[in-house]
Amino acid sequence: MGKNSKPNHFLDLNDFDFQTLRNILDLAIKIKALLKNGERPALLKNKILAMIFEQSSTRTRVSFDVGMRQLAGETIMLSGADMQLSREETLADTAKVMSRYIDAIMIRILSHDDLIELASASSVPVINGLTSRSHPCQVMADIMTYEEHKGSIKGAKITWLGDANNVLLSWVHAAKIFDVTLTICAPEQYGPNQSMLADIAIAGKNVKIIADPSLAINGADLVVTDTWVSMGDKDADERIKILTPFRVDAPLMAKANKDAIFMHCLPAHRGDEVTDEVIDGKQSVVFDEAENRLHVQKAILCYVFGITNI
Ligand code: CP
Ligand code: NVA
């Protein structure tokens, strides 16, 4: 990277064209195959990733950490609460200081505006590890998982049931880029907000909204749901009451295509958004999906460091 050029951030899928994301997925497939063969190429030797968590995480934390180590890089794990961020040092100043020490930052922070503030001031790449707006690393892992089970995602019919949340927004972005049909089925109260509606309008024919779960799931190749209460949501009781008709249970799942698969980014709230029968059933690929966070994020790390082929 030249002194004045912008770093290769990974903030949202709609910042990218199809080919860039395709290249990242293809690299992830190669890196996964190498690992299964016992090979761990030292692609990220001498690179240090700082990870800042303002919220809880199991998958994102462990998969980025392990991913860096398997590619010979190193990590520093930071909690926002232990940093001067918690004593009102600005994100911009934090980014400028960290840019003098480390090679890239991965952050989980609720406010997307805060993510943008950090990235704008950072001279090293910043990766979005989830904000309340979006979760692009997750949907890259989901696409990789879909293609492993069912071939090219182009033209696939995907149904999202439940809360119109951060993971869904990244699916809205992916729908247009990868040319799939995404059907959103959510109650009005927890349906797409104004900002998501604007991105749905940009997605055009690739995104539909259908209120009735049985109609929305009909013909689906992939059924996706997520928790009804995301980090930062305060109205848990009200959400559970209103979202109950959108639970993915076996009778509803049976209305998707016979060979449809089921995904959930995890953590799941069994008995709320999905029943045990579905998440532990034959159609569920949730643990492959969790595993692929590791492989796809290695490829995302390669992208931000300018490694496009191996
Ligand atoms: N899916 C996901 O991001 O999980 P974690 O919250 O455990 O990181
Ligand atoms: N929508 C969930 C995803 C957790 C990985 C949340 O934001 O809490």
Side-chain angles (χ1 to χ4, degrees), residues 108 130 135 165-167 226-227 229-231 265-267:
R108 170 165 291 191
L130 179 147
H135 198 3
N165 66 11
N166 42 6
V167 179
D226 186 12
T227 180
V229 187
S230 282
M231 289 177 271
C265 67
L266 305 178

Side-chain angles (χ1 to χ4, degrees), residues 124-185:
V124 299
V126 174
I127 299 172
N128 175 0
L130 179 147
T131 65
S132 55
R133 176 180 148 85
S134 58
H135 198 3
C137 294
Q138 180 66 53
V139 171
M140 288 295 278
D142 293 3
I143 294 168
M144 181 176 179
T145 309
Y146 181 93
E147 295 197 328
E148 283 177 347
H149 284 269
K150 296 183 68 71
S152 169
I153 200 163
K154 186 174 162 62
K157 293 199 166 81
I158 299 165
T159 299
W160 175 278
L161 287 139
D163 184 32
N165 66 11
N166 42 6
V167 179
L168 174 61
L169 183 72
S170 292
W171 266 115
V172 168
H173 296 156
K176 185 170 168 63
I177 300 167
F178 288 88
D179 194 17
V180 304
T181 302
L182 173 67
T183 300
I184 300 172
C185 181

